[in-house]
């Protein structure tokens, strides 16, 4: 120290204090009472040791470092090799491979469809936890989850690849799928002239013969968004004479040559930086038919229902991740002589976020249970039918409302961190990464309007009013606002809903089902706070919880220290 200087060190101007320690090495499962209770409710008797282990890994500083690096050093496309041959290869940072390998080892992809695999609820809880570590790598994981059952429509392909799609291994080598120890698959539907409107596809498929993989076609056309282009194969849609049809299109052909899929460029996206999303062209690429000609749309809807569930799960996970960061910050940061967590208005904001997060988790896991129960061949037929109908109705409602709330949620959680929340630095600003990721779950796999309109179609798919009545029966009488909301909802289900009111209906359905779930999974204080703040007028800005709500109990439940 310079003896003449009053400052603490040579050249120092100040001491750094009142900054918040890193949120790291936290067991994300153990810290999340809402998730643990939702798992117990939807998968009673499940041994949660594997989820606790996953929660520890997903919250570890070691994997967080890989998430930072994978987002900082995004994928790079190599269209040609050194001497001019087309290679169409995407190079990822080693941290991406660490993360994708970790997600596959956690069996978050095709594993629930394989004998001895995890149930869909367990897998959903794992997906929700892993999202908090890194959502981008879950794009190929989710697509693999959705595609695996779709391959049943071509038994030869199912036989050849079903096991590899469920393998807990990760094999990033770029070679023939059947020569690998594990594979992932992507999906190609969206074209320049239309994404939601898949019928507008211009890509054509022409019959070319048949072989051990079934009916073989040549595909000519393009896809405008095709994520994870280093997947081993893709489920693509192309037009045949009978209409849109699904095809299995591998990167490598059985003769060891590269299939004619040209990656034109990678998208520069707002967020989701670790994941590669590409524009591709098929130049008479070989593809094998999956299902009948002209039956592509129902197959896409079945796959879409699974990836839409993952959008709701992913958003619920990102909400929980953002909430945990906000709680952590508020617990440490001082302002005006008190911790932020002790300031009444900040407590109102945090408690409101906690309610939203818990309700999103409850609804998303309920949809996962509907998948489990409707796929359970051992369950009574009536039970399976009931769960299949709920799955049909609740998937678009959950995708719509949970994802729609995601961006507002991220903005508010970011604000809890003040200016530090807006700064991403060298990738260590996790809140900024969450904020950029949030809108994506609302857009892909069917944007908001498409979800709301799909929900209206779902109302015509069976006795929905009776199914909802049965689903919410356990919560009847628990809160007058919920009773009123349910009564209004059932009238609208019976009377039919006008297209222009579809979003309002989707919101009201999601809120009523969320409340009825919280009546069964959450402490009474959380349930009452949710009803009081959301069922008496639509929620808008966070932090307006009415007087009388037990904010202390809500924050204690959320894990505020
Ligand atoms: C990062 C990223 C990765 C992606 N990866 C893939 C991928 O791997 N594979 C793939 O196939 N696709 C992928 N997509 C595409 C994505 O699924 C579509 O962008 C999405 O489904 C919307 O389709 P669109 O972009 O063509 O928009 P459009 O269909 O043009 O829709 C635009 C807007 O109009 C609304 N709209 C459409 N029709 C109606 C209607 N009838 N009434 C009212 N409103 C309507 C929609 O809700 C939306 O808000 C990806 C997208 C992104 C952003």
């Amino acid at each position: 120290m310079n003896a003449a200087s009053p400052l603490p060190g040579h050249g120092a101007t100040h001491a750094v204090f009142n900054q918040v320690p890193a949120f790291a090495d936290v067991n994300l499962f153990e810290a999340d009472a809402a998730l643990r209770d939702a798992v117990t409710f939807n998968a009673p008797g499940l041994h949660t040791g594997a989820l606790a282990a996953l929660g520890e890994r997903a919250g570890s500083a070691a994997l967080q470092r890989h998430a930072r690096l994978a987002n900082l050093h995004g994928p790079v496309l190599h269209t040609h090799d050194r001497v001019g041959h087309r290679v169409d290869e995407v190079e990822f940072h080693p941290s991406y491979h660490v993360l994708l390998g970790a997600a596959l080892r956690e069996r978050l992809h095709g594993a629930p469809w394989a004998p001895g695999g995890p149930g869909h609820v367990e897998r959903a809880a794992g997906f929700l936890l892993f999202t908090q570590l890194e959502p981008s790598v879950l794009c190929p994981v989710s697509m693999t989850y959705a595609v695996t059952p779709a391959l049943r429509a071509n038994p030869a392909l199912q036989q050849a690849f079903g096991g590899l799609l469920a393998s807990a291994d990760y094999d990033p080598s770029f070679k023939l799928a059947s020569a690998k120890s594990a594979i992932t698959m992507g999906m190609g539907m969206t074209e320049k002239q239309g994404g939601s409107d898949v019928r507008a596809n211009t890509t054509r498929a022409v019959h070319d013969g048949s072989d051990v993989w079934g009916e073989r076609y040549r595909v000519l056309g393009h896809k405008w968004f095709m994520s994870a282009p280093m997947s081993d194969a893709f489920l693509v849609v192309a037009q045949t004479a009978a209409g849109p049809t699904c095809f299995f299109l591998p990167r490598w052909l059985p003769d060891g040559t590269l299939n004619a899929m040209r990656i034109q460029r990678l998208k520069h996206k707002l967020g989701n930086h670790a994941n590669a999303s590409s524009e591709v062209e098929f130049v008479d690429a070989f593809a094998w038919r999956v299902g009948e000609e002209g039956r592509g749309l129902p197959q896409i809807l079945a796959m879409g229902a699974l990836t839409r569930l993952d959008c709701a799960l992913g958003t619920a996970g990102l909400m929980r991740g953002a909430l945990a960061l906000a709680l952590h910050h508020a617990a440490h940061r001082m302002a005006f002589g008190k911790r932020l967590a002790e300031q009444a208005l900040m407590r109102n904001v945090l408690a409101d976020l906690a309610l939203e997060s818990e309700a999103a988790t409850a609804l998303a896991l309920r949809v996962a249970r509907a998948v489990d129960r409707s796929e359970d061949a051992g369950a009574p037929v009536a039970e399976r039918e009931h769960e299949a109908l709920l799955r049909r109705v609740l998937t678009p409602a959950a995708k719509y409302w949970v994802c729609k709330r995601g961006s507002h949620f991220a903005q508010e959680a970011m604000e809890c961190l003040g200016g530090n929340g807006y700064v991403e630095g060298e990738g260590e600003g996790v809140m900024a990464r969450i904020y950029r990721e949030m809108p994506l779950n609302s857009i892909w796999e069917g944007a908001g309007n498409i979800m709301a309109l799909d929900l209206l179609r779902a109302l015509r798919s069976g006795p929905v009013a009776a199914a909802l009545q049965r689903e919410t029966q356990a919560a009847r009488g628990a809160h007058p606002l919920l009773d009123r909301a349910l009564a209004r909802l059932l009238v609208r289900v019976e009377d039919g809903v006008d297209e222009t009111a579809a979003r309002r209906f989707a919101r009201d359905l999601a809120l009523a089902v969320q409340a009825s779930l919280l009546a069964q999974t959450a402490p009474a204080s959380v349930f009452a706070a949710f009803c009081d703040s959301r069922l008496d007028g639509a929620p808008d800005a966070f932090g307006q919880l009415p007087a009388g709500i037990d904010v202390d109990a809500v924050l204690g439940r959320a894990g505020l220290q």
Side-chain angles (χ1 to χ4, degrees), residues 139 143 186-197 223-228 235 267 269 271-272 275-278 440 443-451 453 499 503:
C139 172
M143 292 193 288
M187 292 156 82
M189 281 136 208
T190 318
E191 299 186 358
K192 293 188 178 83
Q193 71 286 344
S196 314
D197 186 3
K223 296 294 162 188
W224 182 230
F225 280 95
M226 211 161 87
S227 291
L235 223 290
K267 304 274 196 194
K269 300 171 286 185
N272 193 250
N275 183 32
S277 299
S278 68
L440 183 52
I443 293 173
W444 63 7
E445 305 304 329
N449 288 353
I450 297 300
M451 286 305 93
L453 294 173
E499 189 171 316
R503 279 185 177 226

Side-chain angles (χ1 to χ4, degrees), residues 100-183:
L100 183 51
L104 299 189
R105 266 192 303 283
E106 305 291 0
R107 303 189 303 165
L108 304 180
H109 56 322
W113 306 106
H120 294 275
V121 171
E122 183 176 7
R123 181 258 174 199
F127 192 92
L128 193 149
L129 289 167
F130 202 100
T131 301
Q132 295 170 58
L133 168 65
E134 213 302 296
S136 304
V137 300
L138 291 180
C139 172
V141 171
S142 178
M143 292 193 288
T144 302
Y145 173 60
V147 162
T148 303
L151 280 192
R152 291 172 187 157
N154 179 325
L157 292 173
Q158 162 75 16
Q159 171 73 23
F161 298 110
L164 294 176
L165 290 163
S167 164
D169 210 355
Y170 173 50
D171 184 346
S173 59
F174 187 34
K175 62 185 183 198
L176 188 60
S178 48
K180 295 178 63 163
S181 61
I183 62 170

Side-chain angles (χ1 to χ4, degrees), residues 6 18 34 96 122 153 181 211 218 221 225 230 247 273 400 466 502 509 547 557:
N18 197 24
Y96 172 90
E122 183 176 7
S181 61
D211 57 31
R218 310 289 300 239
F225 280 95
M230 289 310 290
F247 294 94
H273 287 160
Y400 171 74
L509 173 64
R557 162 91 167 163

Side-chain angles (χ1 to χ4, degrees), residues 177-340:
S178 48
K180 295 178 63 163
S181 61
I183 62 170
T184 58
M185 280 185 70
M187 292 156 82
M189 281 136 208
T190 318
E191 299 186 358
K192 293 188 178 83
Q193 71 286 344
S196 314
D197 186 3
V198 178
R199 273 188 201 281
N201 261 224
T202 62
T203 296
R204 306 250 140 221
V206 178
H207 193 244
D208 182 67
S210 58
D211 57 31
V212 288
W213 286 353
E215 298 306 313
R216 192 180 59 243
Y217 289 66
R218 310 289 300 239
V219 178
L220 183 72
H222 78 283
K223 296 294 162 188
W224 182 230
F225 280 95
M226 211 161 87
S227 291
M230 289 310 290
S231 300
D232 298 282
F234 301 85
L235 223 290
V236 299
V237 185
Q239 299 282 2
T240 62
T245 304
C246 283
F247 294 94
F248 172 88
L249 191 146
R251 287 301 312 269
W252 290 89
L253 296 170
D255 66 2
T257 58
L258 206 49
N259 205 359
M261 181 185 112
R262 310 277 187 245
I263 305 177
Q264 302 298 100
R265 60 175 171 173
L266 299 186
K267 304 274 196 194
H268 289 277
K269 300 171 286 185
L270 171 67
N272 193 250
H273 287 160
N275 183 32
S277 299
S278 68
E279 297 163 17
V280 301
E281 293 189 2
F282 307 120
V283 192
D284 272 338
F286 287 101
W288 284 260
R289 201 177 75 218
V290 177
E292 292 167 37
E293 279 197 5
R295 296 291 299 158
L297 290 185
Q299 288 177 275
I300 291 166
L301 285 177
M303 284 184 283
L306 294 167
T307 49
R308 286 165 184 176
L309 164 60
D310 281 359
C311 292
L313 286 167
T315 304
L318 290 176
M319 281 183 179
R320 175 62 202 177
L323 173 67
L325 288 174
L327 293 172
H328 177 73
H329 186 89
H332 289 88
R333 179 83 164 177
M334 301 281 294
F336 302 97
K338 282 197 283 195
R339 294 186 309 145
L340 289 176

